[in-house]
Amino acid sequence: MSSWENLLLASSNAARGKRQRPDVEEWLLREETGLMELREGLLGGSYQPGPYRFFEIYEPKRRVIAAAPFRDRVVHHALCQFMAPVLERRFIARSFSCQIGKGTTAARDCCRKLVNGHAYVLKCDVRKFFPNIDHAILRSRLDGVSRCGQVMGLIGALIGSHRTGDDIPPSWFGGDELLDGTRARGLPIGNLTSQLWGNFYLDGLDHWATEAEQHGDYLRYTDDFLLFSDDKARLWDLRAGIVGQLAEMRLKLAEPKSRLLATGEGVPFCGFRFLPGMRPRILGPTKRRFERRRRLLAGRRDFRRLTRSVFAWFQFSREGNSEGLRRAYCCLPLATRLERRQRGTSRVLRGASWVSNGPDNLLSSNRNNNNPDNRNNNIGFRCVLVGGGSLKATIPGEVSAEHLASPTSAKQASLSAAPVPR
């Protein structure tokens, strides 16, 4: 874990996208010296986490973020690079978050498939998940991850470096004593290790639902998890079991977020609302947050951050229907709009063709903003019925002579060869 190659990679990953921050610049100026001192502290057992910097965010809801010093963030990345392959082997296939290839996009694809095949869903959310993670339970579950005593000591030091304050009252369970309210709990929202350990903390719940209860129509993203079925009574029984499993981890379900829904009502998950047989719809609060941020950055004329924001929204909205996407681009400078969708590839896209001027020109959602007199005839191709019942591929805008042999064929050819609306 403390090898030079692992620490150097951790330093590069921790600085990604943050190289212009003063603390990161200071670290990079003396990176080799800092990594050597850090390695000596890890090997000698003298390393201790530094103090956190606390601040609040209000989107999508109020949260207190604990930001560790950059030196500690390098250690977090180095530890996760060591632990992730060990822990991820224990995860079920439908456990998402903080894994390569298993982000929000993969979780939404899985949710969309399950919504199309079931009538009911039990949507569950854990109340104050990260602030209520019990330190003793987490340490017991992490025992055996490594045979190295120094690595386990480092894990214990990072877990004990933060605990939830009195602003979040503890939860009480049956059989608790008075001193149980003072148990150390809470992982800082902002540490990379917190994401990995939080996902591992609920791994027992995943195996209980899929193996002990043999309910395979289940997926989880961090502390949000969905159970699908066509039997409402089955879902109510599973809910009672989930309450018991969470109580063993000193957690509770969030009310009224945890409820049983019919999939026809729409299933909110990861920023989208999923309906059977329909494309996902972006949730209204998500749209409003983006519009507020777009107007703020446009008013400041901060086109650099505005471009990144619009690009992120474009990638997010491609999974659903975005009615305001076209308006979002209008606030960007012309030079930025001209380069907004450069892919660097000419491979065939679904529903498109293989022309060399870019596959995006063939998507139905593409808008070139051309003048009305600028007509393009290379937009895809269509198969039309010709005389004798044979099929022939024609390019829109071109009608062969054999199509004009009969009035019926000529009419069909003219309809099928009409230019695609831009």
Side-chain angles (χ1 to χ4, degrees):
M1 195 277 296
S2 58
S3 65
W4 178 260
E5 294 79 6
N6 192 43
L7 291 177
L8 191 62
L9 178 61
S11 177
S12 177
N13 292 335
R16 185 181 303 166
K18 307 179 183 66
R19 293 179 178 271
Q20 295 181 352
R21 296 184 180 181
D23 56 337
V24 181
E25 288 183 348
E26 182 180 358
W27 170 269
L28 294 178
L29 286 175
R30 51 184 301 273
E31 182 180 23
E32 293 185 0
T33 303
L35 289 179
M36 291 180 64
E37 295 175 354
L38 188 60
R39 185 170 185 269
E40 292 177 359
L42 291 172
L43 292 176
S46 61
Y47 167 80
Q48 291 296 328
Y52 289 94
R53 178 175 59 88
F54 296 92
F55 60 94
E56 293 183 353
I57 61 173
Y58 298 92
E59 295 290 347
K61 62 181 180 181
R62 179 183 176 275
R63 288 191 178 99
V64 178
I65 305 299
F70 186 78
R71 170 174 170 269
D72 293 346
R73 294 202 292 270
V74 174
V75 177
H76 298 165
H77 278 267
L79 184 59
C80 286
Q81 290 165 184
F82 167 76
M83 292 181 60
V86 179
L87 297 182
E88 289 177 1
R89 286 198 295 265
R90 309 183 183 187
F91 295 163
I92 66 172
R94 289 178 176 172
S95 173
F96 300 91
S97 173
C98 199
Q99 301 174 66
I100 297 177
K102 287 192 173 183
T104 56
T105 300
R108 285 190 285 263
D109 289 342
C110 181
C111 180
R112 185 176 182 179
K113 296 176 182 177
L114 293 175
V115 166
N116 291 334
H118 298 85
Y120 302 101
V121 58
L122 177 63
K123 185 180 186 304
C124 298
D125 186 15
V126 180
R127 175 182 174 271
K128 299 290 185 182
F129 175 57
F130 284 103
N132 284 319
I133 292 180
D134 192 270
H135 288 186
I137 297 177
L138 178 60
R139 290 183 182 180
S140 64
R141 298 199 172 198
L142 289 174
D143 282 344
V145 171
S146 174
R147 299 178 181 177
C148 178
Q150 291 177 322
V151 172
M152 299 308 299
L154 175 62
I155 292 175
L158 293 178
I159 293 176
S161 64
H162 172 82
R163 59 185 300 170
T164 302
D166 298 333
D167 55 329
I168 300 179
S171 299
W172 295 89
F173 302 88
D176 280 355
E177 300 178 356
L178 183 61
L179 295 179
D180 286 335
T182 62
R183 292 170 63 104
R185 60 193 174 97
L187 291 181
I189 301 176
N191 285 0
L192 183 63
T193 52
S194 299
Q195 306 296 324
L196 180 62
W197 291 340
N199 201 9
F200 177 70
Y201 195 74
L202 292 179
D203 182 60
L205 177 65
D206 300 340
H207 289 278
W208 172 84
T210 57
E211 296 173 6
E213 295 296 326
Q214 297 183 356
H215 190 84
D217 299 326
Y218 165 92
L219 78 152
R220 179 175 63 85
Y221 187 88
T222 311
D223 62 327
D224 297 333
F225 49 98
L226 306 175
L227 296 93
F228 293 85
S229 178
D230 294 329
D231 186 2
K232 295 174 68 173
R234 167 67 173 167
L235 293 179
W236 282 118
D237 293 340
L238 288 174
R239 188 186 188 279
I242 289 172
V243 172
Q245 291 292 320
L246 292 179
E248 295 180 1
M249 297 178 279
R250 305 191 66 80
L251 297 174
K252 290 185 177 181
L253 288 177
E255 301 291 350
K257 293 182 180 179
S258 303
R259 58 193 187 275
L260 194 147
L261 301 170
T263 55
E265 302 175 18
V267 182
F269 184 69
C270 288
F272 282 77
R273 184 178 299 277
F274 297 85
L275 292 164
M278 300 178 63
R279 296 186 64 184
R281 300 296 193 268
I282 300 177
L283 293 176
T286 306
K287 289 183 180 180
R288 290 191 288 271
R289 286 196 301 270
F290 170 74
E291 287 296 329
R292 285 197 299 268
R293 179 175 178 81
R294 182 186 66 82
R295 287 194 296 267
L296 178 63
L297 296 178
R300 296 177 181 175
R301 301 190 66 81
D302 190 352
F303 294 117
R304 181 176 180 179
R305 296 180 63 188
L306 181 60
T307 302
R308 292 200 299 265
S309 176
V310 172
F311 251 129
W313 175 258
F314 170 72
Q315 295 295 334
F316 179 75
S317 61
R318 287 190 65 177
E319 303 170 29
N321 295 331
S322 174
E323 299 175 357
L325 180 61
R326 182 168 171 269
R327 296 196 306 270
Y329 282 111
C330 297
C331 64
L332 296 178
L334 177 61
T336 303
R337 295 203 305 267
L338 293 178
E339 300 177 359
R340 67 188 183 274
R341 292 185 64 183
Q342 289 186 357
R343 291 176 179 268
T345 178
S346 294
R347 69 180 183 86
V348 178
L349 299 181
R350 187 178 69 175
S353 181
W354 49 78
V355 295
S356 60
N357 62 346
D360 283 344
N361 291 336
L362 305 174
L363 297 176
S364 60
S365 60
N366 186 49
R367 299 292 183 268
N368 283 341
N369 298 324
N370 291 336
N371 295 327
D373 58 348
N374 185 358
R375 304 296 296 274
N376 294 332
N377 295 327
N378 61 346
I379 310 302
F381 68 95
R382 295 184 180 181
C383 294
V384 299
L385 187 64
V386 300
S390 61
L391 290 176
K392 180 179 181 180
T394 62
I395 299 177
E398 297 182 2
V399 181
S400 59
E402 56 184 327
H403 283 75
L404 303 179
S406 64
T408 303
S409 299
K411 183 178 180 179
Q412 293 177 352
S414 62
L415 291 176
S416 62
V420 177
R422 301 307 303 273

